[in-house]
Structure formats: structure tokens, C-alpha cells
Amino acid sequence: MSQLKTFLEKKVSQYNQPDFIESDPIQIPHLFSKKEDIEIVGFLTALIAWGKREMIIRNARKWMTLMDDSPHEFILHHKPKDLKPLRDFKHRTFQFTDTVHVLTSLQHIYQKHGGLEDLFTITPEEASPRDAIMRFRKIFFSIPYEKRTEKHVPNPEKGSASKRLHMFLRWMVRKDRAGVDLGLWRNIPPSKLSCPLDIHSGRVARRLGLLSRKQNDIKAVMALDQNLRSFDQKDPVKYDFALFGLGIFENF
């Protein structure tokens, strides 16, 4: 396992570099400087982070433009009439109906629940982000919504690997000298983060012997977490750079 750790550390160093930002959706929250703007933009970008990366980046940028590049102000103060220009925004199966609920729910969260950081903060009693994600999801769908929107917010209670939300948490929590992850939130220790698991990172993890479960579900996330924490207990999710880079850039 020491050889595998050395190999993964090398790949983390290779891909956890500033130039990674240029081709990754994380570039969108990097465009902003205000804390609330960054976390809102990060959440919205992560929410539509499936499909081709170029499309994700293009559509996320369009979404921010339609909110006048002031997402926090828009979230706090928008009225129903202000949502009409967003009829022009969609991302694959993510449609205007979903956009309306997401922005309305975020308004509720920032006005009534202290914002995204408070909802996602993992308590000392919680071993992983799973409980925080479920707590967030409960509040997110506590106002009226259309059933179809549920599919756009992963549910670990139903076995989802919740890849996009784990990626969002990595963006918000991790901070190192490379400067790729934004590291805004200090109330969540990086040691509790889970690796974003998708078809690419799952394939690489299985080839490396880090994962044996065939499905990319919550049980696979927990198994992968355990193995990655054996390499680095304080910052296990940094290995996402290695798994992702090997899968996307090297077709490992």
C-alpha cells in the first residue's frame, strides 16, 4: 500500500495545480470574491455538474449573468417577477421549474436558516457529510416544490453517492497552497469530507484496488473513504484530484 500511496500523492501534486482551474467548473466560483457569492455560485455550479465540462462551465456562467453577477443580492431580494428572465436558462434536464425552486429555496435558507454553511456544518456527533446533506435536503424541500426537482438534489438516504454535493463541500472546505479549492468554510474539518464518486473516479479506484463494490453508491463512498483515510486521515479527499485526473486526463 505504501507504493500506491506514493503513486497517489504524485498524482495529487500533478493535478492539484492552479492550471487545473482553467478547465474545471470550479473556475466559476473563483470569479467571485464575496463569501456568500462564492458559496452560492459553488452550490449552483455543482448542482448542474453533470455532462460535458465545457457545457457545465458555459451554462453556469450564463446562470450567473442572468442574476447580474450578484448572486447573493439576487437570492436575498428577488421577487417572482425577477425570475422571468431565467426562462432562458436550462441545463440538460434541469429546467425553469427547477431553477425557480432552487433560487426560492436558497432565499428561504439565507433568510431563515443562516445560509449554506450553517446547514452543511457537520456536528461533532456526525462521522461524515451524509447527515449534513440529509439535513440540508430536508430544509431545501421544506417549501412548496414540484416533485421533478427532487432528482436534482442527491439523496444519500436512497443510496445516492451524492457526488455533486461532496464535490461542492470539497470546494468550500479544503484549503492548501495550491489554491484550487476555495477553503471558505472553517467549521468543517477536511478529515470528515467524502470523496466525490462518479463513473470516472470509481473506475480508477477499482483498478487501483481501492474499491471492490460495483455500484457507485453511498456504500461505495464509505468504503473508498476508509481506504483513502488510511493514506491521510487529515485530508483524505485530496486524493480526488488523483482519481479524477487519472480518469479524465489519462483514461486510466
Side-chain angles (χ1 to χ4, degrees), residues 6 17 38 44 107 113 166 187 212 214 226 229 252:
T6 299
Q17 296 290 336
I38 294 170
L44 297 179
Q107 185 177 72
H113 295 278
H166 286 305
N187 293 329
S212 58
K214 294 181 179 179
Q226 185 175 1
R229 288 191 177 104
F252 185 85

Side-chain angles (χ1 to χ4, degrees), residues 117-208:
E117 182 176 8
D118 283 357
L119 284 190
F120 276 108
T121 295
I122 305 168
T123 67
E125 296 78 24
E126 296 170 345
S128 76
R130 179 176 181 269
D131 292 326
I133 288 173
M134 290 190 294
R135 181 172 60 250
F136 162 78
R137 204 174 185 279
K138 182 178 180 180
I139 298 298
F140 190 79
F141 288 113
S142 65
I143 63 173
Y145 66 95
E146 292 195 20
K147 188 74 174 177
R148 57 158 286 124
T149 304
E150 286 188 0
K151 67 183 179 181
H152 293 297
V153 182
N155 187 355
E157 281 191 301
K158 292 187 176 180
S160 172
S162 305
K163 175 253 182 178
R164 287 170 287 145
L165 291 184
H166 286 305
M167 181 181 70
F168 168 63
L169 289 174
R170 194 204 86 201
W171 291 356
M172 294 298 106
V173 173
R174 280 197 77 253
K175 188 176 183 65
D176 59 26
R177 283 180 288 184
V180 179
D181 290 320
L182 294 143
L184 287 179
W185 294 354
R186 301 304 176 85
N187 293 329
I188 304 173
S191 60
K192 287 196 172 185
L193 294 179
S194 289
C195 189
L197 180 64
D198 63 9
I199 187 171
H200 304 291
S201 58
R203 183 184 72 246
V204 174
R206 291 180 184 93
R207 288 201 62 185
L208 294 174

Side-chain angles (χ1 to χ4, degrees), residues 227-243:
N227 282 325
L228 295 181
R229 288 191 177 104
S230 71
F231 295 145
D232 190 333
Q233 289 187 344
K234 293 183 178 180
D235 188 18
V237 80
K238 72 181 181 183
Y239 297 111
D240 181 39
F241 285 102
L243 300 179

Side-chain angles (χ1 to χ4, degrees), residues 24-66:
D24 192 79
I26 200 174
Q27 68 180 259
I28 306 300
H30 267 286
L31 296 172
F32 296 81
S33 56
K34 181 181 171 183
K35 174 185 179 291
E36 291 82 5
D37 283 340
I38 294 170
E39 63 193 17
I40 289 169
V41 171
F43 175 76
L44 297 179
T45 301
L47 205 62
I48 61 168
W50 83 98
K52 293 184 177 179
R53 296 162 81 209
E54 296 83 359
M55 180 187 293
I56 296 166
I57 293 166
R58 182 173 65 251
N59 287 341
R61 192 71 195 90
K62 180 179 181 180
W63 198 352
M64 301 316 119
T65 300
L66 289 169

Side-chain angles (χ1 to χ4, degrees), residues 62-110:
K62 180 179 181 180
W63 198 352
M64 301 316 119
T65 300
L66 289 169
M67 294 192 293
D68 299 321
D69 285 323
S70 300
H72 184 227
E73 287 296 312
F74 188 93
I75 291 298
L76 286 180
H77 304 299
H78 78 265
K79 307 295 184 185
K81 64 181 178 63
D82 299 318
L83 297 173
K84 290 181 180 179
L86 283 116
R87 289 185 182 277
D88 294 334
F89 174 77
K90 66 178 181 178
H91 177 76
R92 304 186 74 179
T93 62
F94 191 94
Q95 303 292 323
F96 179 62
T97 298
D98 308 308
T99 302
V100 169
H101 177 74
V102 167
L103 299 182
T104 305
S105 185
L106 284 177
Q107 185 177 72
H108 174 71
I109 286 169
Y110 276 88

